[in-house]
Amino acid sequence: MAGNARRPGVSVASRVLDLLGAFDSEHPSLILSDLARRAGLPLATAHRLVAEMVTWGALVRSPSGAYEIGLRMWDLGLLAQVPARLRQVAAPFLQDLYGATLATVHFAVRDGTLALYVDRLSGSESLQLVSRVGARLPLHATGVGKVLLAHAPEPIRHRVFAELTPVTPYTITDPAVLDGQLARVRADGYAETREEMSLGACSLAVPVRDREGEVVAALGLTASSVHRNATQLVAALTVAASGIRRGMSHRMVAPWRDHPSAQ
Amino acid sequence: MAGNARRPGVSVASRVLDLLGAFDSEHPSLILSDLARRAGLPLATAHRLVAEMVTWGALVRSPSGAYEIGLRMWDLGLLAQVPARLRQVAAPFLQDLYGATLATVHFAVRDGTLALYVDRLSGSESLQLVSRVGARLPLHATGVGKVLLAHAPEPIRHRVFAELTPVTPYTITDPAVLDGQLARVRADGYAETREEMSLGACSLAVPVRDREGEVVAALGLTASSVHRNATQLVAALTVAASGIRRGMSHRMVAPWRDHPSAQ
DNA sequence: TGCTGTGCTTCCACCTACCGGAAGGGGGGC
DNA sequence: GCCCCCCTTCCGGTAGGTGGAAGCACAGCA
């Protein structure tokens, strides 16, 4: 009776993870049926697993009955070391930069062929932009992206150049032009964009290096016009990037600590 | 041969979650053996499950061989609706507040009997404080905490009053004194602390209400002395809190986690 | 009031994907 | 070399997981 056609090759662990993966920025809240469908699980199976996840705190049920990512996942996410360490060091300098310029401040790392926005500051007066913390935007169309791309390994550049999708009419889609710009980024130490990602928004960005000189992140400013006083803004960015570099010291890569105690 | 004493009553799903739960702010990086021990799983079992979690991106292996929370968990955590919605609305106002005062800005919600710091801004010049985004601090010893406590339901106040742990010599531990302060918080519309959480640090805080007038969060400033120009600072806080309230849609905040939270 | 649709919850016999002790491998300290 | 610690792989037995189906709850509609 009880039909049982367990789909082979799919472990329980991966089912739990697939349920989590069903959520994304466009689907932050899902009813059970959609959750099951997006995770590729039968309704009854999803129901059972989801109940366990709610008990643990990974998911919560909103008043409307839909499921959402729970507070406990937020806690866990904050422990992710790549963004957490960088943010911790960078945050005060980003504040200073915002205070000095009142432009939107971006702090990003490269995640594959995309720029991952680790932090972002903007006041209530700032331009409305597509960037959000956690967003992934194209490397070739943003200030921080160009910096990261200019210092990315060859295979990554190759993949990005293979698909220069236009975002606005001003997005650079000619590989030769972009290649020239990246060479200038490496030579001059900063990148710029002019309405290549959002109409009406221009940006400047500089690399952030670790103690070994490796480019690990990029720091940028975005406003309706940044080119008039570009020299000053690049100077401010450079000062902040140096401060961040100094703060990173020798501990950015997992040190070995704790405890002979037990045993 | 193959000994098999599967521990009953523990589902695979909960094992996966327990592995995640083995990480906390004091153990953001764990080698396999510690991870297995903290999750209460045999080494071989942990090894198998962890491998799947790494494949999916929930965990990553650091260069030293230890496991850490992966970027994909960071992404997921950002989708948690309670902090995400509040932060999105509040962030620009927090920036403005920081720009106007240059004091450390705190934005917190109540999580059970603790204040959960949802956001925090401070420049490179600011005081070093114990607060961090994601931190949970006592309600009775912080500015934002007193605001949240003053507007908390009776059972919560009861539980907090039952255990007024001193943090510094100035922490309020007399229930009668605290009760008087909370009454004043409700009457005056703001709370203050004087070195009750960190020596040398004082704070002011005001409630943030939603469209229905319910207190959903608290907004605070901390500096070495805030009482001299308290009137101005409270005014700035109040303006920011009103701005946040206006930015909030109606059903913005999910019900609080008011369970005794095991662990 | 009854009908229909949608979505959630519970049930349970089958059986496979999971379990975990033990053995094997690798590297670093002494 | 020798030991210790930690990681990785293996494999027979079986218990936890599976998912179709039935039942329930509720809302919209005539």
Side-chain angles (χ1 to χ4, degrees), chain B residues 33 45 93 95 180 246 248:
Chain B
S33 318
T45 301
F93 296 99
Q95 290 302 329
R246 247 191 315 283
M248 280 197 290

Side-chain angles (χ1 to χ4, degrees), chain B:
Chain B
M1 262 301 231
N4 189 343
R6 176 186 284 205
R7 200 162 28 117
V10 178
S11 69
V12 182
S14 76
R15 286 164 202 238
V16 171
L17 297 172
D18 286 344
L19 282 168
L20 291 175
F23 294 90
D24 61 32
S25 55
E26 274 147 29
H27 304 84
S29 185
L30 291 167
I31 64 173
L32 182 61
S33 318
D34 290 341
L35 185 48
R37 191 169 32 71
R38 286 174 60 86
L41 298 179
L43 189 60
T45 301
H47 180 260
R48 188 165 23 81
L49 293 177
V50 161
E52 259 188 287
M53 293 162 80
V54 168
T55 301
W56 189 81
L59 300 180
V60 290
R61 202 149 190 201
S62 75
S64 70
Y67 293 94
E68 299 173 349
I69 297 294
L71 254 188
R72 198 153 177 192
M73 293 292 287
W74 186 69
D75 287 347
L76 275 179
L78 293 176
L79 299 177
Q81 297 294 288
V82 171
R85 291 200 190 132
L86 283 171
R87 286 189 77 168
Q88 187 179 349
V89 172
F93 296 99
L94 305 188
Q95 290 302 329
D96 295 346
L97 202 50
Y98 173 78
T101 64
L102 296 182
T104 298
V105 179
H106 286 140
F107 187 59
V109 299
R110 185 173 60 76
D111 183 32
T113 59
L114 295 171
L116 172 60
Y117 284 67
V118 170
D119 212 340
R120 186 201 112 128
L121 307 186
S122 67
S124 56
E125 312 281 278
S126 309
L127 286 178
Q128 280 303 322
L129 297 172
V130 287
S131 58
R132 279 182 314 101
V133 172
R136 286 173 174 78
L137 298 180
L139 289 173
H140 69 284
T142 59
V144 288
K146 283 185 190 173
V147 167
L148 295 170
L149 187 57
H151 296 92
E154 165 52 28
I156 294 291
R157 281 213 296 278
H158 190 74
R159 276 160 58 196
V160 171
F161 273 73
E163 194 172 10
L164 296 177
T165 316
V167 184
T168 73
Y170 304 106
T171 306
I172 312 293
T173 54
D174 180 338
V177 173
L178 184 59
D179 202 45
Q181 289 196 352
L182 297 187
R184 283 241 304 285
V185 170
R186 283 185 293 265
D188 299 347
Y190 71 94
E192 53 189 341
T193 65
R194 296 165 188 259
E195 309 195 66
E196 294 159 37
M197 185 73 215
S198 305
L199 291 175
C202 299
S203 67
L204 291 170
V206 300
V208 176
R209 298 170 187 273
D210 64 11
R211 288 296 180 88
E212 278 80 42
E214 203 74 19
V215 173
V216 294
L219 188 58
L221 292 172
T222 302
S224 56
S225 93
V226 292
H227 302 291
R228 185 155 317 178
N229 36 9
T231 317
Q232 294 166 41
L233 294 177
V234 168
L237 282 166
T238 306
V239 169
S242 306
I244 295 169
R245 179 183 193 172
R246 247 191 315 283
M248 280 197 290
S249 55
H250 288 266
R251 270 312 299 164
M252 168 145 283
V253 181
W256 308 111
R257 285 200 316 183
D258 277 337
H259 53 68
S261 141
Q263 174 150 333

Side-chain angles (χ1 to χ4, degrees), chain A residues 111-167:
Chain A
D111 183 30
T113 58
L114 295 171
L116 172 58
Y117 284 69
V118 170
D119 212 340
R120 185 203 114 127
L121 307 186
S122 67
S124 56
E125 311 281 277
S126 309
L127 286 178
Q128 280 303 320
L129 298 172
V130 287
S131 58
R132 279 183 314 101
V133 171
R136 287 173 172 79
L137 298 180
L139 290 173
H140 69 284
T142 59
V144 287
K146 283 184 189 173
V147 167
L148 295 170
L149 187 57
H151 297 92
E154 165 52 28
I156 295 290
R157 280 214 295 278
H158 190 75
R159 277 161 57 197
V160 171
F161 273 73
E163 195 172 9
L164 296 177
T165 315
V167 183

Side-chain angles (χ1 to χ4, degrees), chain A residues 10 13-23 35 38-41, chain B residues 56:
Chain A
V10 179
S14 76
R15 286 164 202 239
V16 171
L17 297 173
D18 287 343
L19 282 169
L20 291 175
F23 294 89
L35 185 47
R38 287 173 60 86
L41 298 179
Chain B
W56 189 81

